[in-house]
Amino acid sequence: MFSIKILHSVSKILLSFTLLCTCIAIADDAAFMSKLAKALSPTPSGWSGTSFCEWKGVRCTTNGVSSINIASQSLTGTLPPDLNSLSQLTSLSLQGNALSGALPSLANLSMLETVFLEGNIFSSIPDGCFQGLLSLQSLSMADNFNLAPWRIPAELTQSTNLVILDLGNTNLIGTLPDVFDSLVSLRELRLSYNNLTGGLPKTFAVSGIQNLWLNNQKDGFGFSGTIEVLASMTRLSRVWLFKNLFTGPIPDLSNCTALFDLQLSDNQLTGVVPPSLMSLSSLLKVSLDNNVLQGPVPSFGKGVKVTLDGVNSFCRKDSGPCDSRVTTLLDIAKDFGYPLQLARSWSGNDPCGDWSFVVCATGKIVTMNLAKQNLTGTISPAFANLTDLKNLYLNDNHLGGSIPGDLVNLAQLRILDVSNNNLSGDVPKFPTKVKFNNAGNLLLGHSRGGGGSDTTPSSGSSDAPTESPNTASGGFSLSSAWIAGIVVIGVFFVSMVVVVFCTCHTINWHWTLEKVKNLENEKKVVLIEGQSVIMSIQFLCQVTNNFSEKNILGRGGFGQRGFG
Ligand SMILES: *[C@@H]1O[C@H](CO)[C@@H](O)[C@H](O)[C@H]1NC(C)=O
Ligand SMILES: *[C@@H]1O[C@H](CO)[C@@H](O)[C@H](O)[C@H]1NC(C)=O
Ligand SMILES: *[C@@H]1O[C@H](CO)[C@@H](O)[C@H](O)[C@H]1NC(C)=O
Ligand SMILES: *[C@@H]1O[C@H](CO)[C@@H](O)[C@H](O)[C@H]1NC(C)=O
Ligand SMILES: *[C@@H]1O[C@H](CO)[C@@H](O)[C@H](O)[C@H]1NC(C)=O
Ligand SMILES: *[C@@H]1O[C@H](CO)[C@@H](O)[C@H](O)[C@H]1NC(C)=O
């Protein structure tokens, strides 16, 4: 009886304490809500009296306001700046009004889950506005065209629950930050109708984005670079990239098995439409018009709605295979990443028409002059299929990889200039009738008597390692071969010094010490200048009796025998 009384009083005290706290929180919220009601014009319908928790569109928990919904009421006014004092807020719906002025900071509203602000005329967004939104699932601000130019807020990476981000038509500038590995829940990203630039971020590859809208950036600006990363975004279902500055080929999207809507028109995409796209069974809608696509006109299945009109560089008007010379030239362009200047000029089905960089004689391709075209990528083995080729200029580009060995089979070839690139690997042996220039490729293997310039101006002389590196050069980089060589020579010399010193120690102190001093001096020389190796080896042969087995460390009665 007595104990029950105590329990009763304790619980009464606890209850009143909780109520007090609640009242304080509610009182704080009351101050803000009354400011908000005054700031809006007209006053939202159903917002009268002091018990704001009963106002239309407002919901409270025992701790304060949890939800405000005053969408589509043609409200004007500027929101009070201390909106984030509503610490219990989980949902904010202000869309479809004409609210203006600065958006109040939402920072630290850690319970906030959904924010709808689209279709207003806010003028600015404060720095750090979206910090600490740990519960945020959906942020939609589209069509706030009056905003001062702003950038995609990097602090959104704290919102790891974010599923939908819609910042379309909000005057965004700058690039897409490479943070999509943090936004693990993101499914919809809409950034259309802005002034965004730069490439697609690498971390798109690990995101689970399903709907991607990046279309219609400002005329003459927009996203650029390749769309290669799409191939790794296997959850994609809808992709709108039209009206941007994307370049390069359409990647193989065969792992995007849910993709049904792919809109790529009005870019600068080049290359052959991959056959895998035409056989992607999920696909329902494709737009490819106004690009610089090449090769055969793609033919999609009956159920697929396709637009292909506008500028493209397909080889024929109807569907059907290209001329074999066109196919070969497109193979060549592919290994350069289908550069735009080739795609623009190489259209139609006759390379001997008026294609740039191609010179023909009686319908045969005899010269290709691709010098100084800023080309990247590699030299395609498909050049070997141009059997009439006499002159091939690829000099002064940024080409990597190796020179395809098949080029030696070009019977008519007279001039091959690959100078001033970044080629590596072995140099094929061309017949002497070929004037071959490979100068200015620092990583290219040595071509003995190959006619090319054999001078490598690096600090180590190129003649020093007379045998080993060339024979062991399968995929072995020059620098590591050098290091290995120097280490081997170094270890060898140190052991030989020990051998010589110890051996001579027992025979002839004075004579040997003199020689060893010389030897040590030479060793230093050797490490700096490769050419001294040969001299030293000759010298060593003298003092070690031609490397007699007897003198090898760990064998025989070392140290007890003299020179044989
Ligand atoms: C949000 O919280 C952090 C850490 O508690 C604090 O440093 C920051 O000033 C807060 N921001 C705002 C706008 O209240
Ligand atoms: C778009 O951004 C660029 C800078 O990237 C700027 O020069 C240009 O004026 C902007 N265009 C518009 C219409 O705001
Ligand atoms: C598709 O995914 C598989 C497995 O991850 C991978 O091996 C393959 O290269 C991918 N194909 C393409 C075209 O990216
Ligand atoms: C070559 O490419 C670089 C980078 O891709 C570019 O900045 C430069 O303008 C290009 N030069 C020419 C002549 O196209
Ligand atoms: C060369 O042409 C033949 C026949 O047209 C073709 O099979 C082959 O793939 C081509 N080689 C290259 C490297 O394109
Ligand atoms: C040249 O090629 C090597 C690989 O062979 C690469 O590491 C290097 O970055 C390239 N240099 C330039 C300037 O492209």
Side-chain angles (χ1 to χ4, degrees):
M1 182 68 181
F2 178 68
S3 59
I4 288 177
K5 251 186 173 172
I6 288 185
L7 211 65
H8 194 70
S9 330
V10 167
S11 61
K12 245 181 164 175
I13 292 169
L14 275 177
L15 185 68
S16 42
F17 187 68
T18 316
L19 281 176
L20 183 70
C21 292
T22 306
C23 284
I24 290 170
I26 294 271
D28 272 1
D29 286 2
F32 177 81
M33 292 304 287
S34 118
K35 264 191 283 179
L36 178 61
K38 283 189 191 116
L40 298 173
S41 169
T43 306
S45 66
W47 281 32
S48 58
T50 50
S51 46
F52 57 87
C53 288
E54 277 145 38
W55 290 354
K56 196 174 162 218
V58 176
R59 273 188 286 147
C60 297
T61 62
T62 50
N63 295 327
V65 175
S66 63
S67 165
I68 299 175
N69 181 354
I70 44 172
S72 305
Q73 299 192 30
S74 307
L75 304 173
T76 63
T78 297
L79 300 172
D82 52 339
L83 175 67
N84 63 353
S85 64
L86 299 178
S87 61
Q88 304 301 306
L89 200 62
T90 59
S91 170
L92 181 65
S93 305
L94 307 178
Q95 73 270 28
N97 288 297
L99 302 174
S100 58
L103 180 74
S105 177
L106 304 176
N108 294 348
L109 287 174
S110 58
M111 295 170 74
L112 193 58
E113 293 172 0
T114 56
V115 179
F116 299 104
L117 302 172
E118 64 265 31
N120 281 291
I121 47 174
F122 291 113
S123 60
S124 65
I125 292 173
D127 280 348
C129 179
F130 303 104
Q131 254 170 29
L133 302 186
L134 305 178
S135 305
L136 190 65
Q137 294 168 14
S138 179
L139 172 60
S140 178
M141 309 204 16
D143 301 318
N144 272 281
F145 55 85
N146 216 29
L147 282 171
W150 65 303
R151 287 167 196 273
I152 294 170
E155 70 251 30
L156 279 174
T157 52
Q158 298 162 2
S159 306
T160 50
N161 296 314
L162 192 63
V163 178
I164 298 174
L165 179 60
D166 182 357
L167 304 177
N169 195 16
T170 56
N171 252 331
L172 281 169
I173 58 167
T175 58
L176 259 175
D178 199 7
V179 295
F180 291 86
D181 48 345
S182 307
L183 295 171
V184 290
S185 308
L186 194 65
R187 296 294 173 264
E188 298 206 6
L189 179 63
R190 190 195 290 260
L191 300 170
S192 321
Y193 295 93
N194 281 298
N195 193 5
L196 292 164
T197 55
L200 299 182
K202 285 196 183 71
T203 47
F204 263 4
V206 293
S207 81
I209 293 176
Q210 296 170 359
N211 293 325
L212 180 65
W213 289 278
L214 303 178
N215 52 291
N216 291 86
Q217 301 302 311
K218 287 271 189 300
D219 269 351
F221 298 94
F223 291 104
S224 56
T226 75
I227 59 171
E228 179 62 40
V229 74
L230 296 185
S232 309
M233 299 174 73
T234 54
R235 310 276 295 269
L236 287 174
S237 61
R238 177 184 281 126
V239 178
W240 287 15
L241 302 184
F242 49 94
K243 285 209 174 226
N244 276 290
L245 300 172
F246 288 114
T247 53
I250 300 172
D252 183 340
L253 299 175
S254 46
N255 283 344
C256 306
T257 49
L259 184 64
F260 72 90
D261 187 7
L262 179 65
Q263 313 267 346
L264 301 174
S265 59
D266 297 280
N267 278 289
Q268 301 177 352
L269 297 173
T270 55
V272 177
V273 178
S276 62
L277 187 64
M278 299 172 229
S279 50
L280 194 62
S281 57
S282 54
L283 209 58
L284 295 175
K285 211 172 167 201
V286 194
S287 79
L288 301 174
D289 27 317
N290 292 316
N291 279 292
V292 205
L293 295 166
Q294 299 163 281
V297 173
S299 65
F300 289 88
K302 267 205 181 107
V304 187
K305 189 165 175 273
V306 190
T307 57
L308 284 171
D309 303 334
V311 184
N312 267 311
S313 288
F314 296 125
C315 61
R316 296 160 57 143
K317 296 236 169 356
D318 56 348
S319 57
C322 302
D323 183 277
S324 69
R325 295 165 306 167
V326 172
T327 305
T328 300
L329 289 177
L330 291 180
D331 278 350
I332 289 168
K334 180 182 185 182
D335 287 0
F336 300 143
Y338 291 116
L340 198 52
Q341 75 270 34
L342 302 194
R344 287 217 167 102
S345 163
W346 291 6
S347 106
N349 212 10
D350 180 13
C352 296
D354 55 355
W355 286 25
S356 305
F357 318 108
V358 180
V359 179
C360 295
T362 58
K364 292 170 175 170
I365 299 172
V366 292
T367 296
M368 290 207 58
N369 188 349
L370 290 160
K372 301 182 184 171
Q373 287 304 313
N374 221 6
L375 296 176
T376 57
T378 59
I379 301 175
S380 171
F383 273 112
N385 271 8
L386 297 174
T387 48
D388 303 300
L389 199 62
K390 287 194 172 74
N391 311 301
L392 176 54
Y393 299 93
L394 294 166
N395 50 292
D396 300 282
N397 286 298
H398 311 288
L399 298 172
S402 58
I403 302 171
D406 290 351
L407 296 191
V408 301
N409 301 330
L410 285 170
Q412 308 300 318
L413 195 65
R414 292 297 175 272
I415 296 176
L416 174 58
D417 193 343
V418 296
S419 60
N420 302 320
N421 280 291
N422 188 23
L423 299 167
S424 55
D426 291 338
V427 179
K429 202 153 178 54
F430 288 96
T432 46
K433 67 183 180 189
V434 178
K435 198 166 156 247
F436 175 47
N437 186 358
N438 67 1
N441 290 282
L442 293 179
L443 304 176
L444 207 52
H446 296 287
S447 56
R448 279 183 213 193
S453 66
D454 228 9
T455 46
T456 1
S458 51
S459 55
S461 154
S462 54
D463 303 324
T466 41
E467 277 153 8
S468 44
N470 276 356
T471 45
S473 68
F476 201 65
S477 93
L478 198 61
S479 53
S480 21
W482 263 100
I483 291 164
I486 288 168
V487 168
V488 167
I489 289 169
V491 167
F492 175 73
F493 264 84
V494 170
S495 350
M496 288 326 291
V497 166
V498 171
V499 170
V500 167
F501 184 85
C502 296
T503 309
C504 302
H505 195 66
T506 56
I507 304 278
N508 188 338
W509 285 92
H510 297 285
W511 181 83
T512 315
L513 279 175
E514 279 295 309
K515 294 293 178 193
V516 168
K517 266 184 199 157
N518 289 344
L519 187 62
E520 278 180 343
N521 286 339
E522 275 180 16
K523 185 182 77 187
K524 281 171 205 143
V525 172
V526 164
L527 291 177
I528 297 161
E529 283 177 23
Q531 267 165 337
S532 305
V533 173
I534 292 160
M535 254 181 70
S536 305
I537 287 173
Q538 284 169 344
F539 168 67
L540 263 178
C541 288
Q542 283 173 20
V543 294
T544 61
N545 191 17
N546 284 321
F547 301 120
S548 159
E549 255 198 27
K550 283 179 281 182
N551 294 328
I552 292 172
L553 267 171
R555 289 218 203 148
F558 168 72
Q560 280 152 26
R561 296 182 191 208
F563 294 129

